[in-house]
Amino acid sequence: MRRLGRMLLALVGLACLLAGAAAAAYVGSDDTVFNRPAALGADGRPVLTAPDLLAWDGVTVTLRAQAPDGVFIGTAHPVDVADFVGRSTRVRLEGVTLDGVVAEDAGRGAPRHPEDADFWTREMTGTGPQELALDRSTSAAQWVIAPLGGTGPTTVSFGVTVEGAYLAALGVAGAGLLLLVLAVELLRPRRPRRPRPSRGQAPDPADPVEPAPVRRPGARKAARPGRRAPTSAAALAATLAVVLLASGCRLPEPSTQEAATLARTKVSLTEDDLPALYASYDERRARAVRRAGPPAYRESPWRAADRGLALAVDRYETAARRTLGLGHGQATAHTGLRVYAARFDAYPMWALVAARARGADPEVHVMVRDSVTSPWLMEARTEVTGDLPRSGRPTTLPGRGVREAATGARGAWAAFLEGGTEDGLRVDEASRAWRRAMADLGSRAIFRGWEVGTRAEGAPVRVVAVADGHLAVVALRVTTRLRGRPDLAVRWNPPYTRLRAGEGGVLVVDELAVGLVHLPDDGPPTLLGTTFSEIPAGAP
């Protein structure tokens, strides 16, 4: 049985030696293994990888591609890629094997040309083989490969790099060699011991006389001839484990659930994006300011910069300048200060941005982006007079309960504007100043009184999580009616009759009120700032 165990030990050592040496030769010193190239999209369609393709922790994946007239390789967040390609025709890579890839046709209609887009996080083009690597444990991205000029096929292959794989293979080979040498040593035949003469028996004169061993002072007693060092399966396993651990090998593991979530959703906006965002927005708004002035006073250019509530204010400003014969407006440059963003799984996306125009107080802007290739547009703006909360870690949009709380705060704000009662909301000074101004106007001798009506206006309530709760931007359409005395012919003076409604002695002012509401985890909702902007009667 001992001999059989030693032979088995030799076979295991030989297998480890051969397997480790073969693996080291196959992996190479760069720790990278490429699969067999596959030709895809002979008709020139682009090739897209699945978002979770080869998404392993601790693994770097290298894409190698080429096409007859050159190839484009780009990486971007899966949410951006999905928005860009839409339903266009493409080849989708679902899996990778040593012999090639698992692919399927997807979409219909004309293919998109990714080299024309500018949202890529990394991109490269060129003739001949091109390579682009991604650390899949930290990159929520997918590859897009397209043949230049639409001339296919596109040849792709993937290389997986596992740090320490080459050293681990050498370690296995070394461990196998160690086991093999140990087994050979154990299997080598030993010289038999001569029988010792019994006591009282004279030694045979024909036997050679062996010199007695000389013991040095302090030397250990030698082991008896024929005795072998003790071995066991546990000792061998420990030796192998030490060799593997010393080599630093770490096998790839599937990505965590958090990594999968990061690939399915994207943070709409970061503070690093603010300089480019406002450089583009300020340029588009300055162009709109010039075109909305004399002599044409065109309203359509505003659509390149603003939308929704902000666009309604722009249109009124243009109409007022035309009516009053005013010149061009003023274009200002903004500096982004802080971002309050959320994670989205599709476009459109939005974020709340604290910014400051040159020489002005801070504002909060609602910025919206309809697609990955469209610019950021301003949907609403409001001045800020209170202390802004700290940004929190971006999460998915708040649930129904938080949205209902923001809607309740908007209702409390409407109740204050209509009746002056502060219940369930800390009102800011700007709202109080607005109500005092309207009360002063309505108390003049030519009026019998005044009344305020409000209704929810614009897009749904925008709510995002912050460090100590939530932050919301809400909007109201505020209609103020000033009832003139019946014995007087009360009306707007020209040219305001063309901008404001008035009939039967009742004068009407329509305003758009945008408020910033802080919904803390502890404490009542608080208005941090409001802005009242006049809009045309009947405007959205």
Side-chain angles (χ1 to χ4, degrees):
M1 289 298 293
R2 287 186 178 182
R3 184 173 182 81
L4 180 61
R6 294 162 186 167
M7 293 180 63
L8 180 61
L9 181 63
L11 291 176
V12 171
L14 180 61
C16 289
L17 175 62
L18 295 178
Y26 184 69
V27 172
S29 59
D30 59 354
D31 296 328
T32 302
V33 177
F34 275 88
N35 72 331
R36 181 177 300 172
L40 304 168
D43 56 356
R45 286 176 295 168
V47 179
L48 277 68
T49 62
D52 56 352
L53 186 68
L54 301 177
W56 295 331
D57 286 336
V59 172
T60 297
V61 181
T62 301
L63 168 67
R64 180 183 294 167
Q66 61 180 332
D69 294 340
V71 68
F72 166 88
I73 304 177
T75 62
H77 195 283
V79 175
D80 292 339
V81 173
D83 182 75
F84 176 74
V85 300
R87 297 184 179 181
S88 62
T89 181
R90 59 197 181 274
V91 178
R92 179 181 172 90
L93 295 185
E94 296 287 350
V96 175
T97 66
L98 289 177
D99 295 329
V101 297
V102 179
E104 64 178 14
D105 296 336
R108 61 182 62 184
R112 300 293 301 271
H113 297 287
E115 62 269 27
D116 298 333
D118 61 356
F119 63 89
W120 306 106
T121 54
R122 297 178 64 188
E123 62 178 303
M124 63 189 310
T125 58
T127 58
Q130 304 293 315
E131 292 186 359
L132 189 58
L134 282 180
D135 181 356
R136 297 298 283 162
S137 62
T138 59
S139 175
Q142 67 181 116
W143 289 278
V144 176
I145 314 106
L148 298 180
T151 303
T154 303
T155 303
V156 300
S157 61
F158 291 88
V160 176
T161 301
V162 181
E163 296 294 337
Y166 179 69
L167 292 178
L170 293 180
V172 172
L177 179 61
L178 177 65
L179 295 179
L180 184 60
V181 171
L182 180 61
V184 170
E185 178 67 20
L186 294 177
L187 289 172
R188 189 175 64 178
R190 300 289 178 176
R191 186 170 56 185
R193 292 180 299 175
R194 294 181 178 275
R196 294 184 177 182
S198 62
R199 289 184 179 181
Q201 181 182 356
D204 190 348
D207 292 340
V209 179
E210 297 182 0
V214 178
R215 293 190 61 189
R216 296 183 179 89
R220 288 189 177 183
K221 186 178 180 180
R224 293 181 180 178
R227 173 172 290 185
R228 298 176 178 86
T231 61
S232 66
L236 296 176
T239 302
L240 183 60
V242 169
V243 173
L244 290 177
L245 289 176
S247 66
C249 178
R250 181 176 182 268
L251 295 178
E253 303 173 356
S255 293
T256 61
Q257 183 63 34
E258 181 180 3
T261 301
L262 295 180
R264 290 193 298 265
T265 61
K266 179 190 176 184
V267 178
S268 58
L269 193 66
T270 67
E271 291 189 5
D272 292 339
D273 301 325
L274 293 184
L277 182 152
Y278 278 111
S280 172
Y281 175 79
D282 290 341
E283 180 182 356
R284 288 179 278 119
R285 182 167 178 84
R287 189 183 307 119
V289 168
R290 291 193 301 268
R291 296 179 179 178
Y297 293 103
R298 292 186 296 167
E299 297 181 1
S300 57
W302 290 114
R303 293 184 177 275
D306 297 337
R307 57 175 279 170
L309 308 179
L311 182 60
V313 176
D314 295 335
R315 285 174 169 171
Y316 179 82
E317 179 182 344
T318 303
R321 288 184 175 277
R322 180 190 298 113
T323 301
L324 301 176
L326 300 178
H328 293 89
Q330 184 179 4
T332 58
H334 295 89
T335 300
L337 305 176
R338 192 176 300 175
V339 174
Y340 303 95
R343 302 194 68 93
F344 292 80
D345 59 4
Y347 285 85
M349 298 182 182
W350 57 267
L352 308 184
V353 183
R356 186 192 303 271
R358 186 180 295 114
D361 294 330
E363 296 180 334
V364 164
H365 302 157
V366 180
M367 306 300 293
V368 181
R369 196 178 194 186
D370 290 323
S371 72
V372 67
T373 56
S374 63
W376 286 94
L377 302 178
M378 185 181 294
E379 182 179 77
R381 66 170 63 88
T382 182
E383 295 180 357
V384 179
T385 55
D387 295 330
L388 288 170
R390 291 182 296 107
S391 302
R393 182 181 180 183
T395 61
T396 55
L397 292 177
R400 180 178 178 181
V402 176
R403 294 196 302 271
E404 289 178 348
T407 302
R410 181 178 62 186
W413 185 31
F416 170 79
L417 297 179
E418 293 176 0
T421 59
E422 296 188 31
D423 187 13
L425 178 70
R426 291 179 178 173
V427 180
D428 66 320
E429 183 57 31
S431 296
R432 296 190 182 97
W434 178 90
R435 183 164 176 84
R436 286 196 299 267
M438 286 300 173
D440 179 70
L441 181 60
S443 63
R444 295 183 181 180
I446 62 173
F447 296 113
R448 293 185 299 166
W450 64 288
E451 59 185 24
V452 177
T454 62
R455 73 166 188 260
E457 188 71 7
V461 174
R462 303 295 195 185
V463 188
V464 67
V466 294
D468 60 347
H470 293 83
L471 195 64
V473 171
V474 298
L476 293 169
R477 184 191 182 96
V478 183
T479 302
T480 305
R481 290 179 172 82
L482 304 167
R483 299 194 306 272
R485 286 172 47 183
D487 56 331
L488 299 175
V490 179
R491 62 182 183 272
W492 294 114
N493 290 325
Y496 291 100
T497 53
R498 298 166 55 186
L499 298 173
R500 300 169 179 169
E503 185 177 356
V506 178
L507 307 185
V508 180
V509 179
D510 283 343
E511 292 177 282
L512 181 62
V514 179
L516 181 67
V517 181
H518 182 210
L519 303 166
D521 292 330
D522 298 319
T526 302
L527 269 173
L528 301 181
T530 56
T531 297
F532 294 83
S533 304
E534 191 168 351
I535 55 177

